[in-house]
Amino acid sequence: MSDRTAKRAVIVRNTSAAEPPPAAPVNGDGRPYRYEMIYAGGTYRGYADDAAELAGMLIPGYAALATDGERAAARVRLAMDLQVRLQAELAAGPELDACDEAERAVLLGGRHEPPAPSRWEAPVPLVLVSAFYEPAGALPRPSGPAELQIWLDPADDWALLTSLHTAGVIVVGARGDT
């Protein structure tokens, strides 16, 4: 992604829920942007024509990274940061009291090493970064109910955005004609 492309994206401060949303900007061609993303806890709306521009709104300096490897590492770092935040939010609920000691240790433990339970059935969902688990990584994926595992996927820009949307961290919408 070039600097020229990165500058085409637009970020606007979101309005409160009691007010109508801000008017959607148009791109340099005078058309509406292809994507809209609501992020930072609903504080901002970002408009862009490709997924890399949206990822750049979430990752400072992303547009300036020179290689695919640097961009991949930046996506993994973001996924890990959001994993910690989201796991903390989920563990702060009353369901934590229903977890046994081993489950609490996994939920509240550090993430300097990815959690590696063989099965996850605790009432608090476990947030995982797919880069560390099969097939992309070396760890086996935990078995258990899918609704108790939240996967953040930094494999590429669109996979990251989709997984963050599914996890409820961001909201991404596309124009109807795309």
Side-chain angles (χ1 to χ4, degrees), residues 18-178:
E19 301 174 61
V26 294
N27 63 22
D29 298 334
R31 296 177 301 146
Y33 284 93
R34 185 174 185 188
Y35 301 111
E36 175 186 53
M37 177 176 69
I38 301 171
Y39 65 105
T43 302
Y44 297 104
R45 288 176 184 257
Y47 298 89
D49 285 323
D50 67 49
E53 291 173 329
L54 294 177
M57 293 175 196
L58 301 172
I59 305 169
Y62 192 68
L65 298 175
T67 68
D68 290 341
E70 290 173 330
R71 287 186 290 278
R75 290 190 305 271
V76 170
R77 281 191 303 275
L78 176 68
M80 291 173 63
D81 180 50
L82 294 173
Q83 172 194 31
V84 169
R85 291 181 197 186
L86 185 55
Q87 191 69 76
E89 289 173 15
L90 293 169
E95 295 85 5
L96 186 63
D97 293 337
C99 295
D100 65 32
E101 189 175 322
E103 292 165 339
R104 279 194 298 277
V106 171
L107 290 167
L108 302 175
R111 292 299 185 258
H112 58 285
E113 290 185 26
S118 60
R119 183 160 182 81
W120 190 255
E121 293 181 331
V124 177
L126 184 60
V127 183
L128 302 161
V129 176
S130 64
F132 301 114
Y133 301 87
E134 296 172 341
L139 295 172
R141 287 178 173 251
S143 63
E147 65 271 11
L148 293 176
Q149 297 177 27
I150 298 172
W151 289 94
L152 305 181
D153 184 359
D156 60 42
D157 297 324
W158 194 244
L160 177 66
L161 295 169
T162 301
S163 68
L164 295 179
H165 176 90
T166 301
V169 175
I170 64 172
V171 176
V172 177
R175 234 183 33 232
D177 61 343
T178 59

